[in-house]
Amino acid sequence: MTAIQTTSSHQSGHHFLPKETEDGHTISPNQWLLPLTAKVNAQDHLQIGGCDVVELVGQFGSPLYILDETTLRTTCRHYRHGFLQHYSGQSQVLYASKAWNMLAVCAIIASEDLGIDVVSGGELYTALEAGIKGSLIYFHGNNKSVDELELAISHDCTIVVDNWNELHNLVHLSHHTPSPISIMLRLTPGIECHTHEYIRTGHLDSKFGFDPDQLEAVFNGVVKETGLSCIGLHAHIGSQIFELQPHQDLGGVIVQWYSKALAMGLPVTELNIGGGLGIRYTHQDDPPSIENWVKGVAQAITEACHQYSVPLPKLLCEPGRSIIGTAGVTAYTIGSQKVIPQLRTYITVDGGMSDNPRPITYQSVYGALLANHMSAPMTQTVAVAGKHCESGDILIAQALLPVTQSGDILVIPATGAYNYSMSSNYNRVTRPAAVLVGNGDANLILQRETYQDLIRGDRLPERLRIT
Ligand code: LLP
């Protein structure tokens, strides 16, 4: 058995340097993007969480989402321990469940003492069904319906208020609610960061949050409402961010708002600085470690609190991608191949943009490896295509791989975040199953969709029935 070297922080070190295994095989750079428990077994197969990936596909089918419990728990602990070590006030880490919201994931998150951020009635319902207490649920969204708000209020969740319309709805609802509704206020910090424009949220021209110009008006409005208990302020600057500085800048901005809120008589005690730490999708990516991120933001908040002479707040953050991204991989089976001489070779897998819409949406770049021939030399650069009727359905434009055959198992690492959660049934392709692996056990956490599932909601008016 050959252990694949990954560092304890999982996000630092020289993963991209070619490495020799104990038995002399060169490990492909892409293997450094794998979950912490990844190993190559005696059959030269990839093993995750003590389970042979080729056997998992045999047992649970293909494509298959595989979630490594150890990696998921480890990232949660890096966040929690980071705050305990680097922040002297109280803290609470929330998991941004939009990254992957599912009963089993919510249950693991809760067992690691993380709270959760939800952005829809559906995510909220799932978190509640998984047993997460309302006091640990923070409800986001820029257009929450009254029904969604009522569900959250009835479970004593905290509502992160995004805009005036929502504030008015909440004031109205508070007249029929026995105790004050716990709220936070989301403001747009006006911080630019380097990430894809679709996943930037902190710049002024963003659909999320109150404009900072309206700060005083919002604070004045809320302070008068006895039915609302405003416990804190929130801001989020974007996602897949590799620089620490914008998050540290946010620390200064949010503390400035906090001192203003206190001065205006709003008894705010919590500051939520959002999520956004990036992960390594390819060996060129080099994000800060979770610990360094926490240290950086904790220092920025602490310094700003000294500067403004305000007490240290309870500090919240809500990472999604950096909690679950590298814990997940997707296994596919290779089918057809098309060689266009002197131009390109396409190898096609049995999934694509329906289980991973990130390449077609954000031009995201991934790596791949062959789970059934881990030490085969990487001799060709190919395009890994999906099976959907769309030319843009290319999962990887340039994948370095060994020679492949139909039936080989191709694994794409770092697919734990925003893959299942953004999956679709485009072309009426059924969604994959998902398994949780750990200590040699594999538990089904998501059943594979069937054709019957696809037509479950369809209704055929009698007059259209073909007789
Ligand atoms: N908090 C708020 C208010 C957010 O909007 C988000 C992400 C997060 C926290 C978590 O951010 P993270 O730590 O995961 O970066 N679908 C895109 C990502 C969209 C992110 C949306 N908001 C993707 O696949 O890259």
Side-chain angles (χ1 to χ4, degrees):
M1 184 76 63
T2 311
I4 295 172
Q5 303 294 314
T6 44
T7 63
S8 63
S9 80
H10 200 220
Q11 296 207 332
S12 57
H14 304 286
H15 301 262
F16 44 88
L17 296 179
K19 275 228 164 136
E20 295 263 304
T21 65
E22 286 151 23
D23 46 5
H25 295 310
T26 300
I27 289 187
S28 103
N30 293 337
Q31 292 175 19
W32 270 261
L33 312 168
L34 286 165
L36 291 169
T37 61
K39 288 185 163 70
V40 180
N41 67 18
Q43 287 73 44
D44 200 28
H45 291 178
L46 174 62
Q47 181 178 301
I48 299 177
C51 298
D52 183 314
V53 168
V54 180
E55 284 174 19
L56 288 176
V57 171
Q59 187 181 350
F60 296 99
S62 177
L64 184 64
Y65 293 122
I66 301 170
L67 181 62
D68 181 42
E69 189 167 344
T70 301
T71 306
L72 177 54
R73 291 189 182 277
T74 303
T75 52
C76 292
R77 288 171 200 179
H78 283 158
Y79 269 105
R80 265 199 317 110
H81 296 168
F83 278 105
L84 291 177
Q85 205 178 337
H86 299 291
Y87 188 64
S88 54
Q90 284 186 307
S91 58
Q92 176 67 57
V93 180
L94 311 176
Y95 164 62
S97 71
K98 71 204 78 176
W100 187 340
N101 182 293
M102 180 177 284
L103 290 177
V105 172
C106 292
I108 293 174
I109 291 299
S111 73
E112 291 295 333
D113 291 332
L114 267 63
I116 199 158
D117 132 15
V118 297
V119 292
S120 69
E123 286 189 356
L124 171 59
Y125 176 78
T126 310
L128 291 168
E129 286 290 299
I132 302 191
K133 289 199 298 271
S135 59
L136 284 172
I137 301 179
Y138 288 69
F139 188 20
H140 278 279
N142 63 321
N143 194 18
K144 305 173 186 80
S145 70
V146 170
D147 283 354
E148 288 176 317
L149 289 172
E150 280 175 338
L151 178 64
I153 293 165
S154 68
H155 287 88
D156 294 325
C157 305
T158 295
I159 317 284
V160 185
V161 185
D162 187 272
N163 52 61
W164 288 106
N165 181 56
E166 185 181 340
L167 199 52
H168 293 141
N169 286 341
L170 284 168
V171 169
H172 183 72
L173 288 169
S174 73
H175 298 149
H176 316 283
T177 309
S179 45
I181 300 170
S182 171
I183 65 164
M184 294 185 91
L185 297 170
R186 178 171 182 170
L187 291 138
T188 315
I191 291 176
E192 303 277 342
C193 52
H194 296 115
T195 190
H196 193 285
E197 63 171 312
Y198 289 5
I199 52 179
R200 259 187 257 155
T201 54
H203 53 304
L204 287 175
D205 182 7
S206 160
K207 70 171 182 168
F208 298 106
F210 289 98
D211 189 294
D213 282 351
Q214 301 182 334
L215 196 90
E216 287 191 16
V218 183
F219 288 175
N220 270 328
V222 170
V223 83
K224 295 198 296 269
E225 295 299 337
T226 50
L228 303 179
S229 162
C230 182
I231 62 167
L233 307 177
H234 171 282
H236 170 77
I237 58 174
S239 197
Q240 184 59 2
I241 297 166
F242 285 3
E243 309 148 279
L244 264 177
Q245 195 57 48
H247 279 110
Q248 292 179 305
D249 293 346
L250 173 62
V253 171
I254 202 168
V255 170
Q256 194 185 357
W257 297 339
Y258 168 53
S259 86
K260 189 153 210 165
L262 293 179
M264 290 177 67
L266 207 57
V268 165
T269 56
E270 298 189 7
L271 295 184
N272 183 337
I273 48 163
L277 172 61
I279 62 163
R280 175 178 282 123
Y281 286 101
T282 70
H283 52 277
Q284 280 93 0
D285 292 339
D286 196 15
S289 68
I290 291 172
E291 187 184 349
N292 282 342
W293 186 88
V294 173
K295 191 174 166 188
V297 296
Q299 269 172 0
I301 293 279
T302 307
E303 279 164 23
C305 285
H306 286 144
Q307 190 191 335
Y308 287 94
S309 303
V310 286
L312 281 186
K314 177 169 176 180
L315 187 54
L316 277 64
C317 69
E318 50 191 23
R321 191 190 312 268
S322 52
I323 295 257
I324 203 161
T326 51
V329 307
T330 309
Y332 301 92
T333 304
I334 293 178
S336 59
Q337 175 164 321
K338 176 177 178 180
V339 182
I340 311 173
Q342 270 102 55
L343 193 55
R344 199 184 304 279
T345 296
Y346 289 93
I347 61 167
T348 306
V349 293
D350 51 356
M353 60 185 285
S354 59
D355 61 78
N356 183 359
R358 300 194 69 259
I360 200 166
T361 314
Y362 314 112
Q363 300 76 49
S364 310
V365 181
Y366 288 86
L369 43 96
L370 274 198
N372 55 327
H373 291 302
M374 288 295 283
S375 55
M378 316 284 260
T379 50
Q380 54 169 354
T381 300
V382 297
V384 176
K387 64 177 281 172
H388 299 82
C389 281
E390 183 109 0
S391 298
D393 179 26
I394 304 292
L395 287 173
I396 309 175
Q398 292 193 308
L400 182 63
L401 283 173
V403 172
T404 59
Q405 285 179 354
S406 171
D408 281 341
I409 305 300
L410 180 126
V411 161
I412 300 192
T415 56
Y418 304 109
N419 279 237
Y420 165 70
S421 63
M422 299 203 343
S423 63
S424 75
N425 289 125
Y426 183 47
N427 293 158
R428 288 235 144 168
V429 171
T430 51
R431 283 189 182 78
V435 285
L436 179 71
V437 292
N439 295 322
D441 284 334
N443 299 118
L444 188 68
I445 55 171
L446 176 71
Q447 209 167 307
R448 183 173 301 283
E449 276 180 344
T450 63
Y451 292 151
Q452 290 74 34
D453 291 333
L454 293 176
I455 61 166
R456 187 163 48 100
D458 289 15
R459 296 293 177 269
L460 186 63
E462 205 45 50
R463 66 188 176 81
L464 298 181
R465 194 170 292 281
I466 297 165
T467 48

